[in-house]
Amino acid sequence: MKQVFYKKAIVLAAGFGSRLSPLSRQLPKPMMPLWNTPMIGHCLATLERIGVCEALINLHHNPDPILKYIRNEYKGDVRISFSFEPEILGTGGALVKAQWFLDDNPFWLINSDILAEFNPMGLVELISKPRSIAALWLHDTLGPRTVELDGETIKSFSSSAPGLPGTFTFCGLHLVSPKIISYLPQSGFAGIIEAYERAIQDGFNIRGSVLSDSFWADIGTPETYLEAHKLTLAAKTQGASGSIFVTSDNMRDPLKKQGVDASGFVALGNNVVIEQGAVLHDCVIWDNASVKSSSKLNKAVIGSNAVVSGNVRRLAMSAVEAVGEGAWADHKLHGVLKALKWDVNKTTICSFEPRASDRSFTRLVSGKKSVIMVSYKTDRAENLLYVEHSHFLKQLGVKVPEVILDFPDQCVTVFEDMGARSLLSMKNESSAKLNKIYKNVLEQVLVFHEVGRVRARESKLNLTAPFSTELYQWEHKLFTRHFLGRYLKLSSAEISGIEKELAGVSRELSGLPQVLVHRDLQSSNVMLKKGVPYFIDFQGMRFGAAVYDLASLLYDPYMELTEKSRTLLFDYYCANASLEAFDYKLFRLAAVQRLAQALGAYANLSSRRGTEWFASYIKPGVRMMLEALKHTDSLPRLERVLTKT
């Protein structure tokens, strides 16, 4: 086939970069540097390599840095136009607004947050086929893999079993016929997928192809931003595709010569100061940042002008930059700093990984002082109960972080900072040391269960609905739908048989005496301060069977305790409990129940953008459930399925 070059491209650069917040308050995602070149620069260079002569960039969120870069620093030969969106329009809306830029030929449509090195001819050939209205670049191993393909034709963009063989990830690059405009609403916000689906109904095809000998990465989250640096550096070392994106040096070895303990990769911006004695591993540090000698940075992005010390993971930035101003201001953060009477110019913020509970956690650091700020949504009623429950547990004598500030009208609470040590962080300690710590935890759990049971009823504490047959069945549905159905792709008949077995578990547990349970008693929710356990994430506490909490703690997939340790610790709890003791059968059935809930959640969350990392806990979860099942004889179908898995 004759080589064809399509000369026009639309670059999508208007988004908020929410998953990179608060870094995206300082710089819009297209301007975030990868090896000291902004992503928009890498994107335009990619387009130039495949023959593009003209590009239109759509703009909305914080456009000034992009405009300044194109006007003052961009040295390429692609002619640039801009499309300003006072209200963000989405991909489809952006195309409608940019109609004036297009002609009758197909055009490239590319996300500005991807790195792409590829041969375009695979997509050029697909768009040339009869009834093709778009050709999309797909990847068969990386990313969430939510696209289903039949030959070279896309059948679904939302697979019911993401990540399994036969599913693909859309890489953020389309070659599109301008005919697609007729399938878009002519004003307002619009997505592109809906337009594709309407075109399919009209007899057109959306093609998809895995491009060989290519390189792809995206920077949608701090984790993937760091990973993109690592992957491109590895490509350079191997002389492979992707090496073209390494446009500055890995500063690891020069820093080591200056007395910095550097490993992995270190990408530095301009005027960065790193003191001797600092420890750095896989870090990106933006312009004018300062890293103190006490710093231990592990897989971290440090924003411009930030001053960091101590342990930092994921990201840290100056509070001034995070608060922002005007339309991009963070009024919640500003209000918290004002209430704390902290100088915004002397405060650093460190943002934690996203969680599954519609809450975000941020550490605020000013000198030797630090607190944890929690922002939450009200969609889950239990998020509104955290402060009340905290005061209640403290009165019981259960160790919980101190509440420092509470702004319920803004859905923000500030807590005592418990540091970085959790029960989970002790995973590699000896069995003897772990067992001692777990016994301390169980002593607190006994107070939670037994004293809490009485006091909660006396005080008429606000709680979510107690465990019941219906709640256990809801957990089963989470498991059967997301794990057995979407993840394992079992047949309806197989799932129905397992549901009948699980119904017996819920009947057994529903008949047990109820105490006040934590509800999510896993290792990451037990912090250790000077060796003393403190509980967090207890807002979902309710009345339920004590064995549910014990199973959550002792069959935790994050820890994978040995059978010997589980037995010792379960016996320790039972020996010290004043209420009715439980036998091992109920303990293991509770483990099946809890792990069904956990595996359902892992499968569901791993299919969502931003929480894909939950997939890494599926195999440990299966192993833990098999440990429980091998001691029971009432769930043979489930045991057979998981053994095959």
Side-chain angles (χ1 to χ4, degrees), residues 150-226:
D150 182 6
E152 58 188 25
T153 302
I154 291 175
K155 293 300 182 184
S156 173
F157 288 94
S158 54
S159 172
S160 62
L164 292 185
T167 58
F168 303 84
T169 294
F170 169 52
C171 295
L173 176 75
H174 330 228
L175 183 55
V176 190
S177 165
K179 294 176 183 177
I180 198 65
I181 302 292
S182 64
Y183 294 97
L184 288 162
Q186 294 305 294
S187 63
F189 186 95
I192 190 70
I193 301 302
E194 295 81 3
Y196 285 161
E197 290 170 344
R198 285 189 284 270
I200 290 171
Q201 292 173 0
D202 214 15
F204 283 102
N205 290 314
I206 312 299
R207 310 286 186 178
S209 178
V210 176
L211 304 180
S212 60
D213 299 321
S214 60
F215 178 89
W216 172 78
D218 83 298
I219 66 156
T221 67
E223 291 76 18
T224 56
Y225 177 55
L226 289 164

Side-chain angles (χ1 to χ4, degrees), residues 233-252:
L233 186 62
K236 182 178 180 181
T237 302
Q238 298 161 9
S241 295
S243 60
I244 196 169
F245 300 112
V246 182
T247 50
S248 66
D249 293 332
N250 178 9
M251 296 303 293
R252 177 194 61 197

